[in-house]
Amino acid sequence: MNANIRTFEFNPLPIEIEVKDLRFAKELPKLLGQPHKATFYQFIWLTGGKATFRIDFRDIPIQSNEILIISAGQVCQFDTKSDYSGKIILFTEAFFTMTELDSNFLHTSEILNPVSLNKTVPICPQLAGNLTTLLDEELKHPVDKFQAGIAQSFLRVLLLETERQLAANYSPLTNNIGRLFYNAVEEHFKENRNTDFYVNLLGINEKALSKEVKALSGKTPKIYIDLRTILEAKRLLSYSSLSIKEVGYELGFDEPTNFNKYFRKHTGVTPVQFRDSTIK
């Protein structure tokens, strides 16, 4: 297993948000230039040039004055070679979800919809620059009882503006049934991969669920569940030090042979072969 593949936790800070210059990624190519998992959200804004980030085994190009959001739990690999500049805001779910409204945003926003994750979104450079600067300056002040709320307000405006721009530049994918299904899969896919479970959980008949999910993603509910499971398997195989057997157990498979068969059926390779292909 590649020793450079790591999981990054949020650095201990008084409040769990930080603004950094993107040049830090180029200063740590042996860490951030390799696949790694972060347990926090990453809001990336390019102010110049262009780059390609690899996220969940897909190459995502981004150019100047575009936003890219990496969700907590995704496996990412920063571009450490291209000529670009910009800012990155790191924040945790616990920091952002101070109210029920904020928590609802994370579970209903299009920019964090599991189906449309990692779409790059254009943003007004003046707006992004002003808000990022204000946020950065606020975080330099001594911590008091107002700082978290003020910092979160600047971040919220950035996220809402990104959501607005996504709606203006892409056809909306979200609907109530589809998004409820995606959220339910995120919560339960390790314990249940049967469509009937989600039909009963959501209180909807299978035909209606299939129609809504297929309209959004072009996939049946069962295929979506399997793809989500395989994505998590790939994440664990690429960054974690868990054995193949432990990865299977983590995903709810009672027997290693069942996990091996399932993974090979959906990818064409064994878990061992996939893991070996990630080693550099």
Side-chain angles (χ1 to χ4, degrees):
M1 186 64 183
N2 190 336
N4 289 332
I5 297 176
R6 300 180 55 185
T7 301
F8 291 97
E9 303 287 344
F10 199 86
N11 292 329
L13 291 173
I15 59 174
E16 294 181 333
I17 183 170
E18 184 177 10
V19 179
K20 298 176 74 70
D21 195 288
L22 268 177
R23 65 172 174 264
F24 92 103
K26 298 180 183 180
E27 296 168 354
L28 299 169
K30 292 184 178 180
L31 290 179
L32 300 183
Q34 297 295 325
H36 60 277
K37 176 187 173 185
T39 62
F40 43 83
Y41 291 88
Q42 301 173 77
F43 182 99
I44 296 170
W45 169 44
L46 251 61
T47 57
K50 56 185 178 179
T52 300
F53 293 83
R54 189 162 180 80
I55 307 172
D56 278 343
F57 319 103
R58 297 180 300 127
D59 289 333
I60 309 294
I62 178 173
Q63 57 189 6
S64 180
N65 293 320
E66 287 187 338
I67 296 296
L68 170 65
I69 297 178
I70 303 175
S71 188
Q74 291 196 281
V75 170
C76 52
Q77 184 174 351
F78 279 58
D79 186 337
T80 59
K81 298 180 180 179
S82 299
D83 183 16
Y84 64 90
S85 58
K87 298 288 185 178
I88 180 169
I89 302 171
L90 316 174
F91 65 97
T92 65
E93 180 172 353
F95 167 77
F96 187 75
T97 54
M98 294 180 183
T99 69
E100 184 177 344
L101 183 64
D102 298 324
S103 180
N104 186 60
F105 177 83
L106 290 185
H107 291 91
T108 60
S109 65
E110 193 63 24
I111 54 174
L112 295 173
N113 188 332
V115 175
S116 56
L117 265 180
N118 311 133
K119 283 188 175 178
T120 54
V121 182
I123 196 167
C124 171
Q126 289 80 16
L127 177 66
N130 289 340
L131 287 168
T132 303
T133 298
L134 287 169
L135 175 58
D136 195 22
E137 290 299 317
E138 177 58 38
L139 295 177
K140 292 176 182 177
H141 293 168
V143 178
D144 58 25
K145 65 180 181 180
F146 304 106
Q147 188 176 68
I150 292 172
Q152 194 217 38
S153 295
F154 293 140
L155 174 62
R156 185 188 293 111
V157 174
L158 282 167
L159 291 173
L160 288 172
E161 179 61 23
T162 305
E163 182 81 351
R164 171 193 279 169
Q165 293 302 320
L166 181 63
N169 286 276
Y170 297 98
S171 299
L173 295 174
T174 190
N175 65 35
N176 289 337
I177 295 174
R179 191 57 189 270
L180 287 172
F181 171 73
Y182 299 142
N183 291 342
V185 172
E186 287 298 305
E187 185 174 354
H188 298 289
F189 74 91
K190 292 182 182 180
E191 62 193 68
N192 205 304
R193 289 178 291 279
N194 296 317
T195 304
D196 287 347
F197 170 83
Y198 296 95
V199 167
N200 294 329
L201 182 68
L202 299 176
I204 184 174
N205 67 63
E206 185 172 355
K207 185 176 180 180
L209 179 63
S210 295
K211 179 181 178 181
E212 296 293 345
V213 173
K214 196 164 187 179
L216 292 178
S217 65
K219 302 174 180 65
T220 66
K222 177 57 177 169
I223 290 175
Y224 180 84
I225 296 165
D226 287 336
L227 287 174
R228 180 62 185 89
T229 305
I230 290 298
L231 172 58
E232 196 66 22
K234 288 181 175 179
R235 288 174 176 175
L236 291 169
L237 290 167
S238 71
Y239 81 84
S240 79
S241 59
L242 295 177
S243 67
I244 303 300
K245 180 189 295 187
E246 289 170 331
V247 170
Y249 289 153
E250 174 70 17
L251 295 173
F253 291 88
D254 294 332
E255 296 292 335
T257 53
N258 292 337
F259 172 58
N260 289 338
K261 290 177 182 178
Y262 182 89
F263 190 88
R264 185 164 192 168
K265 174 185 176 181
H266 292 284
T267 66
V269 297
T270 67
V272 171
Q273 289 171 328
F274 178 81
R275 171 166 276 180
D276 288 345
S277 73
T278 68
I279 298 175
K280 296 183 179 180

